[in-house]
Amino acid sequence: MNEFRTQLRARINDASAAVSAAWRAGNDDEAHLYAARLAEFLELARRHGVDTGGWVDPAVRAFSQAHT
């Protein structure tokens, strides 16, 4: 795994965990901010041909896509 992919996955994991935590805590504003960040990282991965399948919980991915 190259450094770009390693760092991208770390950022996606962090953003996904933050979305999930904010969502569970009922903090909608924070969840939306982290969802936007997650969407940006997923788009970056897509542009670089990085398969992110299995990296993000499907419920978190759906929330992120619905709120960005």
Side-chain angles (χ1 to χ4, degrees):
M1 189 179 302
N2 68 29
E3 186 65 20
F4 174 77
R5 182 182 159 105
T6 300
Q7 290 300 316
L8 183 59
R9 184 162 190 174
R11 301 291 188 275
I12 287 172
N13 288 345
D14 291 347
S16 179
V19 170
S20 184
W23 189 15
R24 284 192 314 270
N27 189 335
D28 290 340
D29 291 338
E30 190 173 315
H32 289 259
L33 291 173
Y34 286 118
R37 180 173 289 166
L38 177 59
E40 289 173 6
F41 288 133
L42 291 172
E43 174 59 20
L44 181 63
R46 187 197 63 76
R47 286 195 321 258
H48 288 274
V50 176
D51 180 10
T52 61
W55 287 13
V56 179
D57 178 281
V60 172
R61 187 182 291 258
F63 177 88
S64 178
Q65 291 171 337
H67 293 91
T68 55

